[in-house]
Amino acid sequence: MNKLLPAPFLSLFLLVFWLLLQNTVSAGLIVIGIILAILIPLYTNRGRDFPATIHKPFKAIEYFFLLMVDILISNLNIAAIILLPSRRIKPALIEYPLDIVGEVPITVLASTISLTPGTITAEIRRDGRALMIHALNVDDHEKLIASIKQRYEMRLKEIFKC
């Protein structure tokens, strides 16, 4: 590992993947692929400062599919709000207390919330013990907190053992 190639196997993978995506090989594509294979690991190198171990990979796959279903359902709910303007929305800013610890699991949870349409993680408290969540349509704050804890945070605790 050196300064130019901090992750040589990642660089090689990126180059090969780039060429496979192009479905052809030419000098220009190889040069562009080499440039990308060098620059991408250089710019993403800082992300390797936060290692995380996935203790239950099958639970992680289950989590991914749960998230995809939730994103689909949330998209349908947002579409209904847009298409039926008679529906009243109840936006809310909620402080969500965290039970999980660790930078990576908290980041995954915050990203999960932001990926789901209608909710976004607005802030992570400096001490890392709470998230500030903005939700587009909330009837009951406590119900939303309980739902996030049960659907996402509980599973992340299992996946990362935190």
Side-chain angles (χ1 to χ4, degrees):
M1 193 148 67
N2 59 34
K3 287 191 177 211
L4 184 61
L5 285 173
F9 292 114
L10 176 60
S11 294
L12 180 63
F13 171 78
L14 289 171
L15 176 61
V16 170
F17 193 72
W18 169 259
L19 293 173
L20 288 173
L21 282 175
Q22 300 308 314
N23 202 20
T24 186
V25 177
S26 70
L29 288 176
I30 291 173
V31 169
I32 292 172
I34 289 171
I35 291 169
L36 290 173
I38 291 171
L39 290 179
I40 291 172
L42 284 174
Y43 283 112
T44 60
N45 194 31
R46 188 168 177 268
R48 288 188 268 291
D49 293 343
F50 304 101
T53 303
I54 296 177
H55 294 280
K56 295 193 175 182
F58 292 112
K59 287 283 184 185
I61 294 168
E62 176 187 310
Y63 184 84
F64 173 77
F65 285 111
L66 171 74
L67 178 59
M68 292 299 110
V69 168
D70 286 351
I71 288 172
L72 179 67
I73 292 169
S74 293
N75 272 312
L76 295 174
N77 288 335
I78 297 299
I81 289 171
I82 292 168
L83 295 173
L84 303 170
S86 61
R87 288 183 71 180
R88 306 295 292 163
I89 62 170
K90 299 173 189 160
L93 195 58
I94 300 165
E95 185 169 338
Y96 177 82
L98 290 169
D99 293 333
I100 59 174
V101 294
E103 292 168 337
V104 173
I106 291 172
T107 302
V108 171
L109 179 63
S111 298
T112 297
I113 292 166
S114 294
L115 281 170
T116 308
T119 56
I120 191 163
T121 303
E123 183 177 311
I124 299 174
R125 207 164 67 188
R126 287 201 185 269
D127 63 1
R129 299 307 315 148
L131 300 175
M132 188 65 69
I133 300 172
H134 180 272
L136 184 62
N137 198 13
V138 179
D139 291 322
D140 183 10
H141 294 194
E142 295 303 319
K143 186 177 174 184
L144 176 66
I145 291 172
S147 172
I148 293 171
K149 284 208 180 289
Q150 182 213 10
R151 291 188 71 79
Y152 303 126
E153 194 171 9
M154 178 189 73
R155 286 177 169 87
L156 289 173
K157 274 185 178 181
E158 284 183 68
I159 292 168
F160 292 105
K161 290 203 178 189
C162 55

